[in-house]
Amino acid sequence: AQVARRVEVLAQEDVENAPASGDCGLVSNLELSVPRGATVNVRIQEGDVEASGVAELTVNNLSGDVDARAVSRTADLSTMSGDISLSDSKGRARPRAVSGRAEAQALAALAAGDTFEATSTSGDVTLSGVGHTRVSGATISGSVHLEGALARGGTYEFKTIFGDVTLALPAD
């Protein structure tokens, strides 16, 4: 038996036309169970995405929240309208929201070159316990907040145009 290397699920809301071959029509909730350590790519126009326990996760969402946990290698998350939350993960991470918050907590680098970059155009960027040595957070209209220890030899860059940058660092 051969193992599938890729599974593609297409869902659409079109009450006037039947789904094309390979499409699955309107879906209010879609739940997929994939092997731990899988690579998952999600493209969605409207709806929330929750994912956990995968090695690599890429999400492109036009409208809805993204909640990712326990990603073990790479998290590349984006939404045009919604909030992004990334937690308990390792490796390179890039949460990006256009209109919404970008939040991250309990993250660690997996390799020396792993970077963390969180952005929002209109929303806050909140980071807690991000252990990467290269960290950036930026928003145009919102605040950037970092809580936790800085990595030895780390490079940090935080920017906002209309908001505050707040660092809550431990005493030691």
Side-chain angles (χ1 to χ4, degrees), residues 3 19 23 30 45-47 52 89 101 113 123 129 132 134 140-141 170:
V3 177
D23 290 354
L30 177 62
Q45 289 190 10
E46 184 177 343
S52 66
S89 298
R101 294 184 314 269
H132 294 70
R134 291 193 46 134
I140 293 174
S141 180

Side-chain angles (χ1 to χ4, degrees), residues 121-142:
T121 302
S122 178
D124 293 341
V125 173
T126 304
L127 314 176
S128 176
V130 175
H132 294 70
T133 56
R134 291 193 46 134
V135 177
S136 67
T139 181
I140 293 174
S141 180

Side-chain angles (χ1 to χ4, degrees), residues 95-147:
R96 299 176 321 272
V98 173
S99 178
R101 294 184 314 269
E103 300 176 345
Q105 66 179 20
L107 304 183
L110 190 62
D114 287 343
T115 60
F116 176 86
E117 176 187 346
T119 60
S120 176
T121 302
S122 178
D124 293 341
V125 173
T126 304
L127 314 176
S128 176
V130 175
H132 294 70
T133 56
R134 291 193 46 134
V135 177
S136 67
T139 181
I140 293 174
S141 180
S143 295
V144 178
H145 180 79
L146 172 75
E147 181 177 335

Side-chain angles (χ1 to χ4, degrees), residues 42-47 49 59-66 78-82 98-99:
V42 179
R43 286 180 299 177
I44 186 170
Q45 289 190 10
E46 184 177 343
V49 175
V59 176
N60 293 303
N61 192 349
L62 287 178
S63 179
D65 297 339
V66 177
S78 68
T79 184
M80 293 292 288
S81 178
V98 173
S99 178

Side-chain angles (χ1 to χ4, degrees), residues 65-102:
D65 297 339
V66 177
D67 183 10
R69 294 176 306 283
V71 178
S72 64
R73 225 177 3 231
T74 302
D76 191 357
L77 316 172
S78 68
T79 184
M80 293 292 288
S81 178
D83 299 330
I84 294 181
S85 176
L86 175 62
S87 62
D88 303 314
S89 298
K90 295 179 181 176
R92 186 180 65 81
R94 202 167 64 147
R96 299 176 321 272
V98 173
S99 178
R101 294 184 314 269

Side-chain angles (χ1 to χ4, degrees), residues 4-5 7 32-41 51-58 70-74:
R5 298 188 70 75
V7 175
L32 300 174
S33 294
V34 298
R36 182 167 294 285
T39 297
V40 176
N41 297 306
S52 66
V54 298
E56 297 181 17
L57 177 62
T58 301
V71 178
S72 64
R73 225 177 3 231
T74 302

